Amino acid sequence: MYELPFYYPGQICVGKVTTLHLYQGAFVDIGGVYDGWVPIKNNDWFWIRHHIKVGMTVIVGITAKRDPYRFRFPIELRFVDPNIDHLIFNRFDFPPIFHRDEDTNPDELRRDCGRPPIPRKDPGDEPEEEPLFSNHPYVEKLWQINVAEQMILNDMDINPDKYKGKKLSDLVDEDDFDEEKSVQQTKVPYKNALVPKITMKTSVKELDLEAALAERELHKKLWKEAKDRGEDYKIATLKRNIEMDEYDFMHWRRSFEEREALIRDISCRKTLGLPLEEPGRYVDASFFGKDQYDPESPLYRYDYWGEPKNSEKSRKERMTDTHNKSIVGKGTVWCEMPYEDSVKHQPKEVDEYSKQGEAVEEEEEDDDDDDDFDFSILSSLGTNASDQIHVNGTETSRLSDEGVFED
């Protein structure tokens, strides 16, 4: 049986039809490890059902050879004898592929298969303007090691007899250290509630206790000398802190170099007229139409109550709309003159619109203000307490029908 290197596109082979599939097509044994695949589907079988039978000998031509790891049918064929290739109309857009568990990146998968990208909304990100990174992932581990070293040295100061006659380099872990179980998440009671607690274990083999002890003795010596001089001694940084800063600076430098390379690539693409993004990867928002579901939009939140008041049209936009509505009948002004130019040519009308806008805003403020209530209305009802009548313990204005029925 021949392997794939023995076949190439354009080669003519003699084979035997082994399988006919309604939705996949015909499969022909050409003497190789993989059977050849003739793509046929749907109603095309109506025209060729009498020409192809299982077990018949045919002459085929190889049209494509693909990766067997990614594609289900590595060898694609066409019929030469019987010559029925012109009767096949419904072609496959893309050959079938395997979807594996390790295929976590859909963009990488479609690039391997030669398929176009799935259009998505342009996020509008500008990576060349994003901030640089200065947080090295190993710094967190260094801080954990530093805390473990200082805890052991503090224990030595409190319990010197425990470490008497022992070398720090001879210390071993009490239990077998398992890196996979080094982080334990539990819950502890605190004020009638359970609070999450994270316990991080560190192996003694990762610590440099002798260097930490020498650094602490040096600081104790400097502290005593400063105390004798009557000065205050303050520890600025430890060696572990300096090491963390070096790692952070290394990470920042790497991020800075990536930024420079990105800017250089963008400038070269613009100079050569090449696209900055993969063609077809991002499309305009109008491609998806209106009312497209967007999980990041507050419109689709379950507790959405509408946009706040400050997101409504501003005063200038309201003036613009009022102006445009007023000149709809004047076709020449609408077509030839934008809003900014019309403001210059018609200052009086703009002043009136501005006054209208200010009046509307003042009315809205008056409506929102409860302190502007006119209490003179109440005084017109009568100020004499004797004129009031009592109804259910409350005083109300005396109602009189004098003059109602007079002629």
Side-chain angles (χ1 to χ4, degrees), residues 242-258:
I242 298 175
E243 188 177 359
M244 295 178 199
D245 294 339
E246 290 176 353
Y247 272 98
D248 282 338
F249 178 73
M250 182 196 311
H251 199 56
W252 178 89
R253 188 68 188 177
R254 185 184 297 117
S255 178
F256 178 74
E257 292 175 355
E258 290 178 356

Side-chain angles (χ1 to χ4, degrees), residues 134-187:
S134 60
N135 48 347
H136 198 281
Y138 188 62
V139 169
E140 186 176 355
K141 182 66 176 178
L142 280 178
W143 176 253
Q144 181 182 346
I145 293 173
N146 178 42
V147 171
E149 292 173 350
Q150 299 303 321
M151 289 176 65
I152 294 177
L153 295 180
N154 293 338
D155 190 45
M156 287 181 61
D157 295 341
I158 298 173
N159 305 315
D161 298 335
K162 181 179 178 181
Y163 299 90
K164 189 174 182 180
K166 295 182 180 179
K167 292 184 179 179
L168 294 177
S169 57
D170 297 338
L171 296 179
V172 294
D173 298 323
E174 297 180 357
D175 302 329
D176 293 336
F177 179 76
D178 189 1
E179 189 174 357
E180 295 181 355
K181 301 180 181 179
S182 60
V183 180
Q184 297 180 355
Q185 297 183 355
T186 57
K187 291 186 177 182

Side-chain angles (χ1 to χ4, degrees), residues 6-34:
F6 289 90
Y7 297 101
Y8 54 88
Q11 184 177 359
I12 303 298
C13 304
V14 178
K16 182 181 291 186
V17 179
T18 58
T19 309
L20 297 179
H21 197 283
L22 177 62
Y23 300 103
Q24 300 291 350
F27 296 89
V28 181
D29 182 11
I30 55 177
V33 177
Y34 302 96

Side-chain angles (χ1 to χ4, degrees), residues 253-270:
R253 188 68 188 177
R254 185 184 297 117
S255 178
F256 178 74
E257 292 175 355
E258 290 178 356
R259 165 81 65 80
E260 286 187 334
L262 178 63
I263 295 176
R264 188 164 54 248
D265 179 70
I266 291 175
S267 60
C268 291
R269 285 176 175 272
K270 288 183 177 180

